[in-house]
Amino acid sequence: MGITSALVLYAVIWWMCFLIALPIKVQTQGDLGNIEPGTHAGAPEHHHLKRKAWIVTGVAFVLWCIIAGIIISGWISLSDMGWFDRALKPL
């Protein structure tokens, strides 16, 4: 795995984890009973983005180490995936 592949893998894992973490512990304006005029009741009041970003960075790093280790070790390769092998064969 090259450096570019490693960075792309980390970026994909980070964004997937971040999008999963976004709705966790969000307090909306409707939940707090403090709805600003002109906004939706489901608009977030406290979202804790900075804290979530730091937590997701650590979780993504651990997941990246596991996945990159599996890829580098060759434990799972493209030839292990039968559907991928069939997709490369000409008709």
Side-chain angles (χ1 to χ4, degrees):
M1 176 185 323
I3 187 79
T4 306
S5 302
L7 290 173
V8 168
L9 179 65
Y10 183 78
V12 169
I13 293 170
W14 191 90
W15 277 106
M16 285 176 52
C17 292
F18 188 66
L19 291 174
I20 290 169
L22 273 178
I24 297 172
K25 291 191 177 181
V26 173
Q27 295 176 341
T28 64
Q29 292 178 8
D31 293 339
L32 299 176
N34 184 18
I35 301 172
E36 290 288 325
T39 62
H40 191 273
E45 183 72 28
H46 302 288
H47 44 71
H48 311 290
L49 281 180
K50 192 174 194 177
R51 182 174 175 212
K52 286 181 187 178
W54 281 108
I55 292 170
V56 164
T57 300
V59 170
F61 180 74
V62 171
L63 290 174
W64 178 81
C65 287
I66 293 168
I67 295 170
I70 290 171
I71 292 171
I72 291 171
S73 71
W75 188 50
I76 297 175
S77 66
L78 290 178
S79 61
D80 293 332
M81 299 177 202
W83 61 270
F84 194 77
D85 216 18
R86 288 189 302 264
L88 293 178
K89 291 181 183 176
L91 295 175

